[in-house]
Amino acid sequence: MILPALALTLAVPMAAAAQPAAISAGQIRADVAFLSDDLLEGRDAGTRGYDIAARYVAARFEALGLHQAVRDSWYQPVTLSVARLAGDRKASLTIGGRRFDNGGDVAIAPFGREPQQALEAQAVFVGYGLKSAREKIDDYAGLDLKGKIAVALSGSPVGMPSEVGAHLAAEKALAAQEAGAIGLITIPTDAMLGRTSWTKIKSRAQEPAVSWLETDGQPFVRTPGIRITATVNDAAADALLAGSGHKLGALRAQAAKKGGRPRGFALKPSVRIERSSSAATAPSRNVVAILPGSDPVLGQEYVLLMAHLDHLGVKDSAPGADKIYNGAMDNASGVATMLAVAKAFAESGHRPKRSILFAAVTAEEDGLLGSQFLAKNPVLPQGGKLVGVVNLDMPILTYDFQDVVAFGAEHSTLGPVVAKAAGAEGVSLSPDPLPAEGLFTRSDHYRFVQEGVPAVFLMTGFAGPGRQAFEHFLKTDYHQPSDQMSLPFNWDAAAKFARVNYAIAREIADQPQAPRWYKGDFFGDAFAPDAAKAAKP
C-alpha cells in the first residue's frame, strides 16, 4: 500500500526550503558499511546479496515516509537474461578458410538471442564505423554492407570532442545495422590497447552477457539485426585484410594521428562465426520511491535522483584469499549519498515544487541495464514527465575534495544549477581530467540522455590531493576486492558531497522552468531534436 507521508505535507514558511535537515556523515558511513558488508556478497545483480541490499534501501525509503512508485511495492521487477558460452567446441571465427579459436587472436562473447550460431558472410572495412548527419560523418558512404559484416576500428578519431566521440563509438552497431550489416567486428587501435590489454579484452569476452527480457521473452538489444560480433587482433586482423592492399600496422598508424580517418574498402575473405551459448534468467529489481511535489502544476514534473545498487559479486578468479567484491566506493557510496539526500528532502519541512523520483537501480555493472529498463519502462503516474536526472556513481571519498567534475553540465541549463550548488560549499567546477575515458556515456544517467532528458553526474575532482587519491583508487582498488570499508574514507567529505547534490536536486525541483538542452548541443540535437532549447550563456 502507499504509505501516508505526514511529515511531507506540513505547511511551513517558504524560507525553510533552503534549510535542509543536517546531512549526517555518521549515517552515510553506516549505510556504506552495511551495503558493502561481506554478508551481501558483492551485491551482484540477480543474487541474494543484491536482494538484501534492495530490501535495505526499500526499508529506508519506507522509514522516510516516501511514496511507492510502483503500485503496492517499492520494487520495479527486472528479469535479467544471462548468456554464457557453452559447448565442448570453442567459439571461433574462420577467416578465408583459416580458423581462429576464441581466446587467441579473436574474442567472442556469448549471444543470448541465438544460442546456436553458424553464420557466414562477406566483410567490409568501414574505418571507425561512425555515422552522424549533424557532424557530417558517414564512414559507410559508398560502401555496400547489405547482408555483410562491418569491420571497424575501435573508438573514434584522435582530436574529436571526447563526449561526441564516445557517443558515436557507442552507436557503431546501430550505424552498422542501419547500413544493412548483419555483423560488427572490431579491431582495437593502439590507443585502446594502451588502455586495455588484449589479455583483458579476451577475458571480458568470456564473461556472461547480460540483458533484460522484453515482453516477448527475448533479451533486449538495441540492434537485433547485428547477429555477428567479435574483436580481432594481430593474426586474425591480418587475415581479414589479406589481399586488400592494406596492412594492420599502417591503418593503426593512420588512426593514431590527430584527425586520422582511414577510409573503408571491401575485404576479400569471407568470415564464418560458430558459437554456442546457454541462456538463463535471473530475477532482479530496481528500488524506486517518490516524494510528491507541492505545486499542483510543477508537481507533475519529476527530477530523478539515482544510484546503482549492484556491484561485481563473488569471483573465484580474484587474486588472493578475498573473493568478495564489496563495492564500498562503487557504488555503496553513491547509494548512501542518495539516501542522505532523500532524508534531507523528507525532513526539510518543505516539499519541493516538482516531485522527486529516487531510484537504486540494478545491473549497472552489466551494461547500465537497470537504468535502461527504467528509462524505457517509466514508473511515473499518468501525466508525469521526467525533466532532469542527477546521477550518483562512485564519488571518490578518501579526501576533502575542493572541486568537482560535472559531466553533462555544459550541455544544458543544469550547468548554472551545478555551479551555484557547488559554489555554496566552496567547491569549484573543473573540466574533465580523463577525456579519453568518455565517462559521460558510461554511467546510468546516459540511458535517460538517450531518451532526451538532460542529466548531470558529479565526480570528485583533481584539485589539491584529488588527482593522487583518485588515480590511486583507480589503479589499486577499482573493481577489486579492496574496494571495501578499510579504505581511508573521509566521511566529512561524503557529507559535503551529499549537500552539493541535495542543493542541485532542490534547485532543479524549485526552478520555474524545467531544465533545457542548449541550442546546438550535440546531445540535445541527437536525442531531443523537437524539445524547446535554451541559448547557451
Side-chain angles (χ1 to χ4, degrees), residues 210-458:
V210 185
S211 185
W212 47 269
L213 286 188
E214 299 188 82
T215 54
D216 63 0
Q218 281 279 12
F220 173 83
V221 294
R222 294 182 67 226
T223 53
I226 300 299
R227 302 168 62 199
I228 300 171
T229 54
T231 304
V232 300
N233 195 31
D234 294 344
D238 287 334
L240 278 172
L241 296 169
S244 69
H246 298 267
K247 299 294 184 181
L248 176 61
L251 291 174
R252 282 176 165 165
Q254 184 180 359
K257 297 177 181 178
K258 185 173 182 178
R261 295 281 301 280
R263 293 186 176 276
F265 49 85
L267 297 172
K268 292 186 178 301
S270 64
V271 178
R272 178 179 176 84
I273 188 170
E274 296 180 64
R275 67 177 156 190
S276 297
S277 305
S278 64
T281 60
S284 194
R285 47 197 179 172
N286 295 326
V287 193
V288 285
I290 287 174
L291 173 64
S294 62
D295 189 277
V297 176
L298 295 182
Q300 298 300 306
E301 297 181 347
Y302 287 75
V303 180
L304 170 61
L305 195 75
M306 69 184 308
H308 76 87
L309 184 57
D310 65 305
H311 196 54
L312 300 179
V314 180
K315 294 182 181 292
D316 292 336
S317 60
D322 188 357
K323 308 296 184 183
I324 301 175
Y325 289 71
N326 302 84
M329 205 74 73
D330 184 16
N331 185 39
S333 66
V335 176
T337 302
M338 180 189 68
L339 292 172
V341 173
K343 185 173 186 291
F345 268 112
E347 297 180 356
S348 69
H350 184 78
R351 283 187 296 156
K353 293 179 180 179
R354 289 184 177 85
S355 300
I356 311 291
L357 176 66
F358 297 98
V361 297
T362 188
E364 186 269 355
E365 301 288 3
D366 298 302
L368 317 183
L369 300 182
S371 55
Q372 185 180 59
F373 187 86
L374 180 60
K376 292 188 173 297
N377 298 274
V379 296
L380 303 183
Q382 186 174 2
K385 179 183 179 182
L386 186 64
V387 298
V389 178
V390 180
N391 183 29
L392 304 161
D393 188 2
M394 202 179 80
I396 306 304
L397 300 175
T398 57
Y399 62 102
D400 183 15
F401 64 94
Q402 303 303 310
D403 65 326
V404 292
V405 179
F407 296 100
E410 70 274 28
H411 301 300
S412 75
T413 56
L414 290 175
V417 172
V418 174
K420 178 181 177 181
E425 288 289 334
V427 174
S428 61
L429 298 188
S430 295
D432 181 3
L434 303 169
E437 297 295 330
L439 294 177
F440 179 64
T441 66
R442 286 175 50 187
S443 192
D444 284 310
H445 63 277
Y446 194 63
R447 295 305 190 195
F448 294 89
V449 170
Q450 290 175 309
E451 302 299 321
V453 183
V456 67
F457 156 48
L458 262 60

Side-chain angles (χ1 to χ4, degrees), residues 22-256:
I23 287 176
S24 165
Q27 181 66 67
I28 295 174
R29 184 187 189 284
D31 288 336
V32 173
F34 181 84
L35 292 170
S36 63
D37 193 273
D38 282 357
L39 174 70
L40 276 64
E41 298 179 336
R43 307 189 309 278
D44 194 10
T47 68
R48 181 175 179 271
Y50 177 88
D51 290 344
I52 294 171
R55 184 68 191 98
Y56 179 82
V57 173
R60 292 294 308 281
F61 284 164
E62 185 172 4
L64 291 172
L66 303 182
H67 289 200
Q68 293 171 336
V70 178
R71 184 179 178 86
D72 296 331
S73 179
W74 296 105
Y75 309 112
Q76 180 188 40
V78 182
T79 301
L80 300 176
S81 170
V82 184
R84 292 178 170 85
L85 291 170
D88 296 333
R89 194 178 191 197
K90 280 189 174 181
S92 66
L93 282 186
T94 300
I95 304 172
R98 182 179 174 186
R99 179 186 170 97
F100 294 89
D101 283 335
N102 196 20
D105 284 329
V106 303
I108 304 172
F111 188 52
R113 290 178 75 92
E114 294 184 43
Q116 300 297 323
Q117 274 195 320
L119 299 173
E120 187 168 353
Q122 291 299 124
V124 179
F125 181 72
V126 295
Y128 279 104
L130 308 182
K131 187 173 182 179
S132 169
R134 183 187 184 278
E135 299 298 304
K136 298 181 174 58
I137 296 172
D138 186 359
D139 288 343
Y140 290 88
L143 299 175
D144 176 16
L145 270 294
K146 189 171 179 59
K148 298 178 183 179
I149 301 168
V151 177
L153 294 169
S154 64
S156 57
V158 176
M160 179 174 282
S162 61
E163 291 183 353
V164 173
H167 164 74
L168 293 179
E171 299 288 288
K172 287 185 185 186
L174 185 61
Q177 177 178 270
E178 290 177 350
I182 63 168
L184 176 63
I185 293 176
T186 302
I187 299 175
T189 60
D190 289 336
M192 178 179 178
L193 292 173
R195 295 192 301 271
T196 307
S197 70
W198 179 244
T199 298
K200 184 169 287 187
I201 292 171
K202 292 188 297 183
S203 176
R204 287 176 178 172
Q206 304 301 310
E207 296 176 356
V210 185
S211 185
W212 47 269
L213 286 188
E214 299 188 82
T215 54
D216 63 0
Q218 281 279 12
F220 173 83
V221 294
R222 294 182 67 226
T223 53
I226 300 299
R227 302 168 62 199
I228 300 171
T229 54
T231 304
V232 300
N233 195 31
D234 294 344
D238 287 334
L240 278 172
L241 296 169
S244 69
H246 298 267
K247 299 294 184 181
L248 176 61
L251 291 174
R252 282 176 165 165
Q254 184 180 359

